[in-house]
Amino acid sequence: MGPDGGARIGDYGLLGDTRTAALVSSTGAVDWFCVPRFDGEPVFGRLVGGPPAGTFRLGPVGPAPVVERRYHRHTATLVTTWQAGGARLTLTEAMVAEVAGRLLPATLLVRRLSAEGAAVEAAVEFDPRHGQQRRPPRVRHRGAALVCEWGPLALSLARAPGAGVVPGRPTSVTVTPGQPVTFVLAVAHREPLVLVDPDAAWDLLAGDEARWRAWSAETDESLPFRDAVVRSLLTLRLLTYSPSNAPVAAPTTSLPEAPGGVRNWDYRYVWPRDASIGVAAFLGAGKRPEAHGFLAWLLHASRLQRPRLPALLTLDGRHTPRERDLAGWSGYAGSVPVRSGNGAADQHQLDGYGWVVDAAWVLVLAGHRLSSETWRTMRGFADLVAHRWSEPDAGIWEVRDAPAHHVHSKLMGWLALDRALRIAGTHRIPAKQRLRWEAAREAVAADVRTRGFDPARQTYVRAYGTTDLDAALLLLPVIGIDDPGSPRVLGTVAAIRRELSAGGPLLYRYPPGRDGLPGTEGAFLPCSFWLVQALAGTGRRAEAVALFQELLDRAGPLGLFAEEMDPATGAYLGNYPQTLTHAALIQAALAIRDAPG
């Protein structure tokens, strides 16, 4: 079930240019598109705002089955083909990523309809509505282009051949074999609106495709499941804001973790934790510039709050807007509220420091020496962990409840100290600081082993004083506080697999409903990939490969993953596509590659 009976979450394809993104359904409808960047206001928001929030649809006039839907291999170009009677109608579309050095708009969406077998009548619905108020545009024409304006924001829509599109008024166009119809949408925000001829825009798209293929070809050839890994790498790259190298958690807001529920969050921001996982993923796949880019962004973004590391930040490193509900927005499948901003920004999350310092260590391990500023920043993070590790925190899952002594958070605090000490092996550090880190690292280990372990079940638990489990503890084999083959690690992996199972390869991240919010949620997909990583890291490579394949079989038709999945129906839940899931997929493949046997 989708908005107004429309597309399910997993039905949507991703179009992107590394500055913003669009989600397009298999009916050819762009139902989510924020401008001028990922966290901007939507101009097509039907996904969570219903019909009054706007859409841009190109597709068959009447019901027509999809006979093929795919990306051009190792590119960001999406192709959808429908059977329309005895003919076929194909929509080929993408956004132009490389615009530097040319007189082009920063955002350029190109969509082309073509027919095969006979002429096909295609529907055109162009209904942009801006922002929370879903305001219709002021409309004018510049030559053959239609221009829609809202103060400093303007969209232009040009079509070749022909004209005649009226915003908010569905129309149709006859597509004849050998005579494709091309639409080009350009965006300008506080800058001159550059009009691009549709045929010229199509040529730009071809050049962009060649660049994506070349970028993909650089991926390590030895990677298992390489096509799935490349698709995930492309997804991560498309969701990385190129002006700052900041990866968004997802391009959407308020896609529900439970349909009809209130677990609806805005993910159009940057979580240093998720981004750090992406560093290791990019680096392991042979993508060094992308890995370095994140640390460069982090140095800029964290400069005003160091040594505190915020749980999340905006694309340019600012404080995330306060969380608020959008009045009158119907929500996906009736799931309200629809939110803008994220209240988790002010939480204390100890685990983030471990992810970030570990990302720096991964770079050092790959032969990259940290700059003095980067090392000074990592030292500050380690000092803060040494000072605050004994405090309760909100944990990796950002529960809207009282802080607790989360075991995963303590383990990641240990990781921050351990990796800082490893970096100190090749980077200068005062002796007193080293001793302080060593003492704190040992204290964390002793505390967790004593207070965070259930000897009766042979497993680490979610938090001190509880018996709940936490699937984030599947990362134990790679953290290194215990040997991967130790009874504590093996017992924890087995207990999570048994007690948090959601059926098949799926896992809940913790016992459903125990997070201070009403209702439940779906299985959390990154945790399943962490299980693959844990199996590979504990000598069970064959099991890891089989589980990985099961997960790939549950991917959307385009190889994209959301945050969660309904175990009963296989439907995707939560914001989509999800950076954390795709980064975890890549790390799972790397673990399989590096596992013995």
Side-chain angles (χ1 to χ4, degrees):
M1 178 182 176
D4 305 300
R8 302 204 313 177
I9 292 171
D11 178 65
Y12 282 92
L14 173 72
L15 307 177
D17 61 4
T18 75
R19 293 172 291 280
T20 188
L23 293 188
V24 56
S25 74
S26 61
T27 66
V30 174
D31 286 335
W32 185 253
F33 183 44
C34 292
V35 294
R37 59 187 208 173
F38 295 108
D39 59 354
E41 297 278 8
V43 288
F44 305 123
R46 182 175 181 266
L47 182 67
V48 292
T55 189
F56 178 19
R57 178 175 178 262
L58 302 177
V61 167
V66 174
V67 294
E68 183 181 42
R69 196 158 190 244
R70 61 182 176 85
Y71 285 104
H72 282 167
R73 189 168 186 265
H74 294 176
T75 78
T77 302
L78 180 61
V79 181
T80 306
T81 300
W82 299 272
Q83 188 72 44
R88 289 192 172 192
L89 179 69
T90 295
L91 173 63
T92 305
E93 54 190 336
M95 297 171 70
V96 177
E98 185 53 69
V99 297
R102 292 176 287 182
L103 185 58
L104 293 173
T107 297
L108 196 64
L109 170 62
V110 186
R111 316 184 78 194
R112 170 171 279 191
L113 290 167
S114 57
E116 181 183 356
V120 179
E121 197 75 5
V124 179
E125 184 179 359
F126 181 70
D127 187 19
R129 301 297 182 97
H130 183 249
Q132 180 179 351
Q133 304 303 321
R134 296 166 287 194
R135 293 183 292 132
R138 183 168 66 90
V139 179
R140 60 188 178 90
H141 289 84
R142 283 180 54 184
L146 173 75
V147 178
C148 299
E149 296 179 324
W150 300 267
L153 174 68
L155 309 182
S156 70
L157 181 68
R159 165 183 152 190
V165 176
V166 178
R169 185 183 303 170
T171 185
S172 63
V173 58
T174 301
V175 185
T176 304
Q179 298 181 29
V181 180
T182 305
F183 293 80
V184 56
L185 178 72
V187 179
H189 183 252
R190 300 185 186 280
E191 61 189 3
L193 178 62
V194 179
L195 303 180
V196 181
D197 175 77
D199 292 329
W202 184 254
D203 291 339
L204 290 170
L205 211 59
D208 233 40
E209 275 204 27
R211 281 184 286 273
W212 282 123
R213 286 196 182 96
W215 186 87
S216 299
E218 297 168 354
T219 305
D220 183 357
E221 290 283 353
S222 70
L223 279 168
F225 304 99
R226 187 171 181 272
D227 280 350
V229 171
V230 169
R231 179 52 54 196
S232 288
L233 286 167
L234 279 164
T235 302
L236 293 184
R237 187 67 189 90
L238 288 172
L239 296 180
T240 298
Y241 183 61
S242 55
S244 68
N245 294 307
V248 290
T252 55
T253 179
S254 303
L255 291 179
E257 296 172 7
V262 300
R263 299 164 182 266
N264 318 316
W265 315 111
D266 191 349
Y267 273 23
R268 297 171 300 155
Y269 306 108
V270 187
W271 273 254
R273 169 202 307 119
D274 298 5
S276 298
I277 298 172
V279 168
F282 275 126
L283 200 60
K287 296 289 184 185
R288 293 181 71 120
E290 286 75 14
H292 293 161
F294 163 69
L295 275 185
W297 170 81
L298 183 66
L299 288 176
H300 165 78
S302 65
R303 69 196 186 285
L304 296 180
Q305 300 188 57
R306 295 177 195 161
R308 179 181 177 270
L309 179 66
L312 61 148
L313 292 157
T314 66
L315 300 173
D316 45 15
R318 298 181 183 277
H319 192 275
T320 306
R322 65 176 181 83
E323 189 172 288
R324 58 191 178 88
D325 300 348
L326 302 188
W329 283 59
S330 57
Y332 177 90
S335 306
V336 292
V338 174
R339 292 183 168 100
S340 178
N342 196 300
D346 295 320
Q347 291 182 347
H348 169 49
Q349 298 178 20
L350 184 68
D351 72 289
Y353 298 90
W355 292 110
V356 169
V357 181
D358 185 59
W361 164 243
V362 168
L363 284 171
V364 171
L365 199 60
H368 177 76
R369 185 171 181 83
L370 303 182
S371 69
S372 58
E373 184 185 3
T374 303
W375 179 220
R376 185 164 56 250
T377 301
M378 298 304 143
R379 286 165 53 191
F381 291 158
D383 281 340
L384 185 141
V385 170
H387 178 64
R388 297 192 64 182
W389 71 265
S390 60
E391 300 175 14
D393 80 331
I396 185 174
W397 306 127
E398 301 177 349
V399 294
R400 303 296 176 100
D401 208 343
H405 291 283
H406 293 99
V407 173
H408 172 263
S409 296
K410 309 289 187 190
L411 291 171
M412 296 305 289
W414 181 94
L415 184 74
L417 295 163
D418 180 76
R419 297 321 190 242
L421 284 163
R422 295 189 190 197
I423 297 171
T426 56
H427 292 63
R428 185 173 299 175
I429 179 178
K432 286 185 177 180
Q433 193 171 40
R434 180 192 297 273
L435 291 172
R436 186 164 64 249
W437 293 351
E438 288 174 344
R441 182 180 63 174
E442 296 311 308
V444 176
D447 197 59
V448 169
R449 288 175 179 143
T450 301
R451 302 173 64 194
F453 188 76
D454 181 349
R457 292 151 70 208
Q458 280 294 295
T459 180
Y460 284 102
V461 294
R462 182 181 176 189
Y464 294 174
T466 74
T467 58
D468 289 353
L469 298 184
D470 182 352
L473 296 172
L474 289 167
L475 294 163
L476 267 169
V478 298
I479 290 173
I481 192 171
D482 291 316
D483 185 272
S486 72
R488 285 175 176 256
V489 172
L490 297 179
T492 300
V493 173
I496 290 170
R497 199 173 187 183
R498 180 178 63 251
E499 297 185 31
L500 294 182
S501 173
L506 303 179
L507 295 171
Y508 295 109
R509 50 183 168 173
Y510 44 73
R514 298 190 190 177
D515 56 8
L517 291 171
T520 60
E521 61 179 16
F524 202 77
L525 289 168
C527 296
S528 293
F529 287 109
W530 288 344
L531 177 57
V532 172
Q533 191 175 3
L535 292 172
T538 54
R540 299 159 74 178
R541 187 179 188 278
E543 282 186 68
V545 168
L547 184 64
F548 195 96
Q549 186 60 63
E550 280 191 75
L551 290 166
L552 292 188
D553 291 343
R554 295 184 181 231
L558 298 172
L560 302 176
F561 284 92
E563 179 181 41
E564 298 185 10
M565 177 175 281
D566 185 330
T569 66
Y572 279 158
L573 300 170
N575 286 304
Y576 169 89
Q578 180 77 204
T579 296
L580 179 59
T581 310
H582 284 279
L585 181 155
I586 297 165
Q587 287 199 308
L590 293 169
I592 290 172
R593 180 194 65 184
D594 299 336

